[in-house]
Amino acid sequence: MIDQSTYRDAMAGLAAAVNIITTDGEAGPAGCTVSAVCSVTDEPPTLLVCLNRSSANNEIIRRNGNLCVNVLSADQQAVAMQFATKGVSIAERLATANWSVMATGAPALDGAVCAIDCEVDSVTEVGTHTVFYCTVKAVRNRQDCDGLIYFGRGFHRVGPNAARPAEARA
């Protein structure tokens, strides 16, 4: 069996998009930063989202039955940190950016690379995490920005402008 530390070191080498998962509904609003999001199929459009079972967001997403995967632009690192910081209320988290709603009513982050609005279709428990299988109900895309990834335990800009100096991007 591989020990947890060795596994986590290996996962630090797996670059992943930085996402904020949001929800709203009967159980109220919630949201957190995650990197474990993956396309399952495009027929029907389906994503999977992995979330620690001990997260308070987990139960709220289950009860609301919806979530929005907000794929962050390179300029939204501060929002990622706000949603990743324990002890910060959802009201404080949401106040760090502008939001709108799409089909399900979950908050969709303005300025994100994309917002993928979903209904939770099914749930599976695997070890410490819940895997939410989500049917996509609406998508909003933006083509004019770089993305934000997490790699080597840090944030990095990726995209056509990533190699240009900051002053040239302004």
Side-chain angles (χ1 to χ4, degrees), residues 55-84:
S55 169
N57 295 285
N58 191 313
E59 182 59 28
I60 296 171
I61 290 170
R62 286 174 189 264
R63 289 179 50 208
N64 286 343
N66 67 43
L67 59 81
C68 187
V69 175
N70 299 282
V71 182
L72 300 191
S73 74
D75 298 327
Q76 294 174 318
Q77 182 175 332
V79 182
M81 291 304 300
Q82 188 77 347
F83 275 77

Side-chain angles (χ1 to χ4, degrees), residues 102 112-116 139-145:
M102 294 170 22
V113 171
C114 62
I116 308 168
V139 173
R140 184 176 66 207
N141 289 311
R142 188 174 157 212
Q143 304 295 322
D144 63 340
C145 61

Side-chain angles (χ1 to χ4, degrees), residues 32-92:
C32 57
T33 302
V34 303
S35 59
V37 173
C38 181
S39 173
V40 175
T41 181
D42 64 356
E43 190 59 40
T46 305
L47 293 177
L48 68 78
V49 176
C50 299
L51 192 59
N52 195 300
R53 288 196 293 190
S54 68
S55 169
N57 295 285
N58 191 313
E59 182 59 28
I60 296 171
I61 290 170
R62 286 174 189 264
R63 289 179 50 208
N64 286 343
N66 67 43
L67 59 81
C68 187
V69 175
N70 299 282
V71 182
L72 300 191
S73 74
D75 298 327
Q76 294 174 318
Q77 182 175 332
V79 182
M81 291 304 300
Q82 188 77 347
F83 275 77
T85 303
K86 291 184 184 203
V88 176
S89 73
I90 187 61
E92 291 173 294

Side-chain angles (χ1 to χ4, degrees), residues 131-148:
V131 181
F132 293 92
Y133 290 92
C134 306
T135 304
V136 177
K137 296 300 180 183
V139 173
R140 184 176 66 207
N141 289 311
R142 188 174 157 212
Q143 304 295 322
D144 63 340
C145 61
D146 285 346
L148 184 65

Side-chain angles (χ1 to χ4, degrees), residues 65 119-123 132-135:
E119 288 181 354
V120 175
D121 185 53
S122 64
V123 176
F132 293 92
Y133 290 92
C134 306
T135 304

Side-chain angles (χ1 to χ4, degrees), residues 104-117:
T104 72
L109 178 61
D110 295 344
V113 171
C114 62
I116 308 168
D117 195 29

